[in-house]
Amino acid sequence: GILKFGLTGDLLSWPGKIRAAVGALAGHAPPPADGTEETIRDWVTRILGEEVFARIIDPFVSGVYAGDPSTLSMKAALPKIARIEEYSYDIEWNKFGAIFYGGLARQVELTKERKADPPKPEWVEFEYGNPGSYKNGLSTLPKAIEKELGDRVKLEWTLTRVSRIDPSRPSLGYLASFSTPTGPQTVRAKSVVSTLPAHAADSVFEPVLPASPALFSRVRDAVNRRGIYYPPVAAVTLAYPRSSFRDVDLPNDFGKLSSLPGFGLLHPRSEGIRTLGTLWSSSLFPGRCPDDYHILLNYIGGSRDPAIGTMKEEDIVRAVDEDLRKVLLKRDAKEPKVLGVKVWPTAIPQYELGHLEIMTELEEMEKTAEGLWICGNYRSGVAFPDCVTFGYEQAKVVREFLETRTKV
């Protein structure tokens, strides 16, 4: 149904479809010869055209990053997709880099990788690429970690400074200073793994990484930004009776709109919808509401709508409800049940132009402070699976370091 919709649906005009087909199947303009870093918008319009960007990629990026694709770096924010172009040019006969063949080559390689390293038999059955969650929500994972660690978990402890126990003897480890509800506390540690957001790092690591404050506050003229930007985003969970939804048939036999068949929806900025995207939570995860209701998790705000961070909660709910009445609900739908509103003043790190350069310099800095790792979703990727995978692999690195030190 998806392929048929892409070819015969009205998401793209026929000129837009033809332009995308040329870039995908025949070829496209090469990347900048001088190595200039491209934004997501630059990359997509160069390869697939402006219409694909405006109708497909822009809403996708808004949903994932709550960001502006005119400032986000393609190679930093969407590295897996960017690498498809490299795969395309690696095919000897594909002289003009037609992107479809690179994607096909990557898919074949990915299938081999998954067969070589299949899911463990004790894992819950799943399909690659499909969304999933825990029965009791994503908080299940941190709660399980807390249960395992017990009273070693400290809440409301704010890291204020990391220094050497003895600068002349680095092997002794670190002193981590905290501001806590009961006053200042200091912890001695052989190693330190920090997941502080970049905007909170400030001078925390200056005693061991003297250049880190300047790095975290660097001005990037290309995007008119100081440091790594975290725009505000609000998560608004609303419930409506099923009878409130429009009773229309969706194209391509997708079913009735009122049954919300699918994952959710993302909004192109050109539609005049303020909400970034909506997850159809009750369709994705059965049993989370009565059968005669639907639950919608909505995201609004981001780097192109920072005013969300200063709005009252009732005004944010009203803005989301107005958008839903434009696209999903009957105009006379009942007022929603408000199940939750959470405003994140500094939500998602933006991988904008110059981001990779900052990360490269940070990596070089870390090499001068053995046993110190500065991590976080501004390095690992912002998606939940990326963060979990990064943390799991980083734990192996730390364990190996500590085991080596113990032997010495």
Side-chain angles (χ1 to χ4, degrees):
I2 297 297
L3 182 59
K4 181 182 176 184
F5 179 67
L7 293 173
T8 64
D10 57 4
L11 182 61
L12 298 176
S13 67
W14 274 108
K17 293 173 185 176
I18 292 169
R19 171 62 183 88
V22 169
L25 300 173
H28 50 77
D34 60 0
T36 299
E37 187 176 13
E38 291 183 289
T39 65
I40 292 175
R41 180 171 193 158
D42 294 335
W43 191 92
V44 174
T45 54
R46 175 172 61 83
I47 294 175
L48 297 172
E50 179 66 29
E51 196 171 333
V52 167
F53 166 76
R55 300 294 298 169
I56 300 174
I57 303 302
D58 189 6
F60 167 75
V61 171
S62 295
V64 174
Y65 276 97
D68 183 351
S70 296
T71 62
L72 289 168
S73 163
M74 183 66 190
K75 286 189 174 180
L78 300 175
K80 294 178 182 177
I81 298 177
R83 282 198 295 271
I84 292 176
E85 184 175 17
E86 298 174 15
Y87 280 94
S88 299
Y89 280 112
D90 285 343
I91 300 172
E92 186 176 355
W93 53 264
N94 191 22
K95 301 298 183 183
F96 299 104
I99 207 78
F100 172 80
Y101 308 108
L104 193 61
R106 176 54 186 149
Q107 187 59 47
V108 170
E109 186 179 87
L110 189 60
T111 301
K112 291 179 180 177
E113 290 174 1
R114 288 171 176 171
K115 286 183 177 179
D117 185 22
K120 292 181 172 55
E122 63 268 22
W123 288 7
V124 174
E125 187 176 344
F126 71 98
E127 292 184 26
Y128 286 105
N130 281 356
S133 186
Y134 300 98
K135 289 183 179 179
N136 294 317
L138 293 180
S139 64
T140 300
L141 180 59
K143 286 178 179 178
I145 295 172
E146 180 186 28
K147 183 178 179 180
E148 180 69 22
L149 294 177
D151 60 7
R152 287 176 290 176
V153 174
K154 306 297 182 185
L155 304 180
E156 298 182 50
W157 281 40
T158 302
L159 183 64
T160 58
R161 177 183 172 89
V162 175
S163 58
R164 293 281 190 187
I165 293 175
D166 182 348
S168 65
R169 301 174 62 192
S171 61
L172 293 180
Y174 298 93
L175 292 173
S177 301
F178 296 88
S179 171
T180 80
T182 58
Q185 298 284 346
T186 301
V187 176
R188 296 168 64 98
K190 293 179 181 179
S191 66
V192 173
V193 180
S194 169
T195 56
L196 279 178
H199 63 78
D202 195 23
S203 59
V204 169
F205 305 104
E206 188 173 13
V208 288
L209 301 175
S212 60
L215 184 65
F216 284 123
S217 61
R218 174 174 295 172
V219 175
R220 285 174 285 163
D221 293 332
V223 291
N224 191 28
R225 197 81 73 200
R226 178 185 292 275
I228 297 172
Y229 180 43
Y230 289 69
V233 174
V236 182
T237 305
L238 306 177
Y240 295 89
R242 283 179 177 259
S243 59
S244 296
F245 291 79
R246 298 178 188 179
D247 187 23
V248 297
D249 292 314
L250 294 171
N252 282 34
D253 301 322
F254 284 142
K256 289 278 188 182
L257 175 62
S258 57
S259 65
L260 298 186
F263 177 93
L265 71 163
L266 298 168
H267 304 290
R269 298 299 87 195
S270 58
E271 289 186 346
I273 303 295
R274 192 173 185 181
T275 303
L276 299 171
T278 301
L279 294 177
W280 300 344
S281 299
S282 49
S283 295
L284 285 170
F285 310 116
R288 296 204 173 182
C289 70
D291 291 340
D292 58 344
Y293 265 82
H294 282 308
I295 293 179
L296 307 176
L297 171 56
N298 308 273
Y299 292 98
I300 187 170
S303 62
R304 290 184 283 186
D305 191 8
I308 285 294
T310 58
M311 288 173 59
K312 296 179 180 178
E313 287 191 2
E314 56 265 34
D315 292 334
I316 296 174
V317 170
R318 188 178 301 112
V320 171
D321 179 66
E322 288 176 359
D323 284 344
L324 292 172
R325 291 174 190 274
K326 294 175 183 176
V327 294
L328 288 178
L329 304 173
K330 300 173 183 176
R331 295 303 299 180
D332 61 350
K334 292 183 178 180
E335 291 297 306
K337 293 181 182 293
V338 181
L339 304 185
V341 179
K342 176 63 178 179
V343 179
W344 301 94
T346 49
I348 302 173
Q350 300 298 293
Y351 287 43
E352 296 176 306
L353 294 178
H355 188 85
L356 289 178
E357 182 181 346
I358 293 174
M359 295 301 100
T360 298
E361 291 186 36
L362 182 57
E363 187 175 347
E364 291 301 312
M365 274 188 202
E366 282 182 325
K367 294 177 182 178
T368 68
E370 191 178 30
L372 172 64
W373 292 276
I374 302 176
C375 307
N377 62 351
Y378 61 94
R379 297 191 73 178
S380 63
V382 301
F384 180 75
D386 291 335
C387 293
V388 172
T389 301
F390 181 89
Y392 185 77
E393 296 302 322
Q394 187 64 39
K396 296 178 184 178
V397 173
V398 177
R399 182 177 63 183
E400 182 180 355
F401 170 80
L402 293 175
E403 288 175 348
T404 302
R405 280 304 177 93
T406 302
K407 291 177 183 177
V408 173

